[in-house]
Amino acid sequence: MTKPIIALDADGVLLDYSVEYATVWQRAFREYPTEKDPKAYWAADRWNVERLVGERLEHFLGHFEETFWESLLALPGASKACRDLHAAGYELVCVTAMPEQFASARQRNFHRMGFPIDKVIATGKFAEGKSPKADVLNALRPCAFVDDYLPYMAGVHPDIHPALITRDPNGSPNFGDALRHVSSQHNTLAEFSRWWLAQTGLPRN
């Protein structure tokens, strides 16, 4: 029998992109930034850093390579949440809006952090007029899709339960009419996991 699938975003749901952003800044400019707003949604707003343009921006972006994508830390409770879902009989698939060339690095990151995730689908960030994840999700047809970025819920098949992680409210894009695309909201993946397993009546560790 085929296991039911839960599709999970990575950055902001499973992994702490924001903390590693500061480490990349240090590698690029040899200075670790001070924290400005720990509740900021966007990494660039969390840290006291300049707005980059031109050559300095290109220099910074050049440091988001294999080493970065395989070294992010797990968010608190995220690994256990995945293990609980996996133990309850779900197959976990990561659907992430990152360049396909780094999907294997992301997979290594998951294994290093103890996530029971054996499949990573990298969609890239852009799809004209719709979520870049929509086509993949609609073909995969998971029972639930968990993401922390509301625009990526648009165009998801109505049979899929879209669950929004509402983390870090300052500057968040997760508001407005597009919330109609969301079936449930949770502060963290751990909160979603507990809620989902209680709703479905499946066992939890």
Side-chain angles (χ1 to χ4, degrees), residues 96-110:
T96 177
M98 68 183 301
E100 187 176 0
Q101 71 197 79
F102 297 123
S104 60
R106 173 135 286 174
Q107 184 71 76
R108 292 192 297 274
N109 196 168
F110 287 147

Side-chain angles (χ1 to χ4, degrees), residues 10 15 64-71 94-111 117-124:
L15 301 169
F64 287 83
E65 22 69 311
E66 291 274 334
T67 301
F68 170 80
W69 295 112
E70 67 183 14
S71 61
C94 176
V95 179
T96 177
M98 68 183 301
E100 187 176 0
Q101 71 197 79
F102 297 123
S104 60
R106 173 135 286 174
Q107 184 71 76
R108 292 192 297 274
N109 196 168
F110 287 147
H111 287 169
I117 299 173
D118 294 322
K119 186 173 185 179
V120 173
I121 302 174
T123 67

